[in-house]
Amino acid sequence: MRFLTPLLLICPSLALALTPPPPPPPVPPPQVWIAPQEGLEPITLASVDIRIRSRGFIAETTIEMVFHNPNARVLEGEFVFPLAAGQSVTGYALEVNGALREGVVVDKQTARVAFEDITRQSIDPGLAELTAGNVFRTRLYPIPARGDKRIRLHLTTTLVDLGDHWRYVLPMQFAAAVERLAVRAEAELAADAPMDESGDGDPALRFEQAGTRWVAELARERVRPRRELAFRIPKARDPVSTLEAVDPLEPGWRSLVALVDSGSPARPRALAPRRIALFYDAS
């Protein structure tokens, strides 16, 4: 008895086009990296204080972190903080002699020159950079022996549009437990109470109405968040498309932020194979 078995082969170019893209690399946790040295204990997070204020499609976030050095020597480290899509750093402050000093934004070359000039004056400057993968990075020095180092970040976020909701996301996958975590979130121009999406045993936000805003607060000790802090904000009946933004470092300055609908993306054209080979096995 003979069997006729059809076998359809598609050209490699089509097979490659249909191959799904590789998954994105895992998000690094916020941390202070210290060059490996024998006998050193890791830097710990003594406290994290997060303040979020959303208004329409924009959210302003302030994060203040205190790192503790349990070692008997002064250390130099590198602070790494991942940012979510649509999130940018609009301010950065580093503790110097017990007080927070705000940094300024300049182009990369100017920053490098200023850094080298200040270093030659035996002063320890802070240099912050935004690296590949939307990761904020800065040098921390000095981290006092058996002491603390405080930093503060100002972030501006364009919220994710989900149709009838806005979505706020803040990466919070910490590598170790935080001694004290405090979060306060406020939402203006919301039709109803925002809904927490952190879940997974992580700190949950419960919003309550306070005048024209929705407010949620939480405080935890010895907690280790393992995923992002996220919540959805129901859009107002007539959602705003323009907002006035205040510069956190220069409150006298105002910027106009507009949400412009550029239309739905064009439908991708179907990819047709350039060659099809058909083989028959008639053995």
Side-chain angles (χ1 to χ4, degrees), residues 38-70:
E38 188 175 349
L40 284 183
E41 296 183 47
I43 299 294
T44 60
L45 252 177
S47 68
V48 178
D49 194 296
I50 301 172
R51 295 289 182 266
I52 305 164
R53 184 181 178 185
S54 70
R55 188 168 182 264
F57 56 91
I58 296 292
E60 302 289 340
T61 305
T62 301
I63 307 172
E64 190 168 300
M65 286 164 280
V66 177
F67 293 93
H68 178 69
N69 175 14

Side-chain angles (χ1 to χ4, degrees), residues 11-213:
C11 66
S13 60
L14 179 61
L16 289 174
L18 298 179
T19 302
V27 177
Q31 60 180 311
V32 172
W33 183 84
I34 302 292
Q37 298 182 45
E38 188 175 349
L40 284 183
E41 296 183 47
I43 299 294
T44 60
L45 252 177
S47 68
V48 178
D49 194 296
I50 301 172
R51 295 289 182 266
I52 305 164
R53 184 181 178 185
S54 70
R55 188 168 182 264
F57 56 91
I58 296 292
E60 302 289 340
T61 305
T62 301
I63 307 172
E64 190 168 300
M65 286 164 280
V66 177
F67 293 93
H68 178 69
N69 175 14
N71 300 281
R73 55 178 291 191
V74 175
L75 294 178
E76 176 181 348
E78 184 179 73
F79 172 63
V80 179
F81 191 92
L83 302 174
Q87 203 165 57
S88 58
V89 176
T90 54
Y92 163 63
L94 177 66
E95 184 179 19
V96 179
N97 296 326
L100 283 172
R101 298 286 298 274
E102 294 283 353
V104 295
V105 179
V106 296
D107 64 84
K108 187 174 182 179
Q109 183 60 32
T110 302
R112 288 291 181 188
V113 172
F115 181 86
E116 293 170 2
D117 289 343
I118 295 174
T119 302
R120 282 194 290 268
Q121 300 173 30
S122 299
I123 301 174
D124 297 308
L127 182 64
E129 296 179 291
L130 192 63
T131 64
N134 206 24
V135 176
F136 176 81
R137 183 181 69 186
T138 186
R139 171 180 178 261
L140 289 185
Y141 183 84
I143 308 176
R146 295 196 172 95
D148 298 331
K149 193 73 168 180
R150 183 165 47 126
I151 64 174
R152 184 169 62 203
L153 290 179
H154 299 286
L155 309 177
T156 299
T157 307
T158 304
L159 302 182
V160 180
D161 191 346
L162 298 177
D164 58 350
H165 289 72
W166 300 111
R167 187 171 191 262
Y168 174 88
V169 178
L170 179 67
M172 289 275 287
Q173 296 92 323
F174 287 99
V178 180
E179 293 296 328
R180 187 185 68 84
L181 172 67
V183 180
R184 177 183 173 88
E186 300 180 12
E188 297 184 38
L189 305 177
D192 205 344
M195 296 161 286
D196 179 82
E197 289 190 338
S198 300
D200 196 27
D202 288 336
L205 294 172
R206 294 179 177 84
F207 287 84
E208 297 182 359
Q209 194 163 14
T212 59
R213 299 171 298 165

Side-chain angles (χ1 to χ4, degrees), residues 189-191 234-240:
L189 305 177
K235 288 183 181 180
R237 179 173 298 179
D238 298 314
V240 297

